[in-house]
């Protein structure tokens, strides 16, 4: 199952609580029984907000409540907002932190021409020569 990130519940004392892994391209928050993250508070809308994973594998937060809007990092928003690693969304008095999954970034390989390699070798020799002669000077003094 692909994993798109995780939602970490932030307890009222500031400590991390339950972790919900995002294994689907959509995560619905609300009071309704079919919500992925369900909150049984009367002020929470049946469908309060949702996180969707777009075609670029970016998480996008959409507010669905007009009465008690969802906040992102302490601010209200009207249009869907792309989430960054560590963003905190708040619904009424409950906070959640979004985290992208840890991924190893592939290193880009650059093809070198023979000319580049010979220049590096020359530079390496010159650098080695300077270090050696510098070391001799240090030893002599």
């Amino acid at each position: 199952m692909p994993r798109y990130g995780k939602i970490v519940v932030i307890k009222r004392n500031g400590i991390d609580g339950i972790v919900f892994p995002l294994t689907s391209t959509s995560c619905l928050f609300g009071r309704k029984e079919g919500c992925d993250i369900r909150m049984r508070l009367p002020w929470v809308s049946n469908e309060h907000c949702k996180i969707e994973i777009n075609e670029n594998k970016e998480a996008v937060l959409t507010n669905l409540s007009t009465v008690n809007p969802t906040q992102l990092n302490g601010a209200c928003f009207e249009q869907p907002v792309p989430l960054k690693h560590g963003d905190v969304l708040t619904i009424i008095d409950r906070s959640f932190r979004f985290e992208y999954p840890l991924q190893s970034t592939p290193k880009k390989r650059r093809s070198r021409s023979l000319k580049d390699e010979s220049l590096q070798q020359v530079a390496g020799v010159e650098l080695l020569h300077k270090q050696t002669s510098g070391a001799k000077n240090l030893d002599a003094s």
Side-chain angles (χ1 to χ4, degrees):
M1 230 185 264
R3 193 159 170 201
Y4 300 103
K6 60 185 174 181
I7 305 295
V8 181
V9 175
I10 302 172
K11 294 182 178 183
R12 290 187 179 156
N13 61 6
I15 296 174
D16 289 358
I18 298 170
V19 176
F20 295 96
L22 283 177
T23 55
S24 174
T25 56
S26 179
C27 180
L28 184 62
F29 294 73
R31 197 176 64 219
K32 192 167 73 172
E33 202 169 304
C35 290
D36 301 298
I37 299 180
R38 189 171 176 211
M39 293 173 284
R40 297 181 188 179
L41 297 172
W43 308 282
V44 174
S45 298
N46 284 330
E47 293 183 352
H48 206 92
C49 67
K50 67 179 174 178
I51 295 174
E52 291 183 304
I53 307 299
N54 66 17
E55 61 277 354
N56 297 326
K57 295 187 180 175
E58 297 172 316
V60 178
L61 177 65
T62 303
N63 177 52
L64 302 173
S65 175
T66 54
V67 178
N68 292 308
T70 307
Q71 293 186 354
L72 180 62
N73 298 321
C76 293
F77 59 96
E78 293 181 18
Q79 299 297 318
V81 180
L83 291 173
K84 298 183 297 281
H85 182 79
D87 277 349
V88 175
L89 59 114
T90 304
I91 300 171
I92 312 297
D93 64 345
R94 304 288 196 260
S95 293
F96 306 86
R97 185 177 60 250
F98 173 77
E99 295 180 358
Y100 275 107
L102 296 175
Q103 295 177 347
S104 59
T105 53
K107 294 182 180 178
K108 292 183 181 177
R109 301 193 111 207
R110 192 184 74 143
S111 63
R112 294 188 208 163
S113 68
L114 185 58
K115 192 176 192 179
D116 288 340
E117 287 183 38
S118 61
L119 284 175
Q120 285 183 342
Q121 288 174 354
V122 170
V125 169
E126 288 177 354
L127 181 62
L128 179 63
H129 177 71
K130 286 179 183 176
Q131 287 177 343
T132 305
S133 61
K136 286 180 184 175
N137 288 341
L138 286 175
D139 290 339
S141 57

